[in-house]
Amino acid sequence: MPNEPADRGQEPAERARRITVQRRGPLLVEGPVEVELEDGTTVSSDRFRVALCTCRRSRRYPWCDTSHRRKA
């Protein structure tokens, strides 16, 4: 259930991932993560935190490359 508190006894891989939403910026996701793209391909990262692009300007999509900072 989305509103239930996380179970403290779960293994780290089973814990809920924290996603931080930033206005006019990327989604920050605690890793490791696996992202399924629109075409069905999957990309993954084993970093402790990743930035997912929300503006779709990134040359490394779905990963953010700070392209959102440039003037449109």
Side-chain angles (χ1 to χ4, degrees):
M1 219 32 141
N3 294 326
E4 290 181 11
D7 183 4
R8 303 281 185 220
Q10 291 180 336
E11 292 296 319
E14 296 175 4
R15 282 195 320 236
R17 298 286 178 216
R18 180 180 302 261
I19 299 173
T20 305
V21 179
Q22 297 182 338
R23 183 179 176 166
R24 299 176 64 193
L27 292 175
L28 299 178
V29 183
E30 290 183 1
V33 299
E34 193 172 272
V35 179
E36 185 175 333
L37 303 175
E38 292 173 302
D39 65 2
T41 60
T42 302
V43 294
S44 60
S45 174
D46 60 357
R47 292 180 171 214
F48 71 95
R49 182 176 296 140
V50 297
L52 294 177
C53 177
T54 58
C55 71
R56 298 187 73 92
R57 294 180 190 162
S58 176
R59 292 184 183 136
R60 299 181 58 227
Y61 188 83
W63 316 121
C64 179
D65 67 1
T66 68
S67 292
H68 61 274
R69 293 181 183 168
R70 295 185 207 122
K71 297 287 183 185

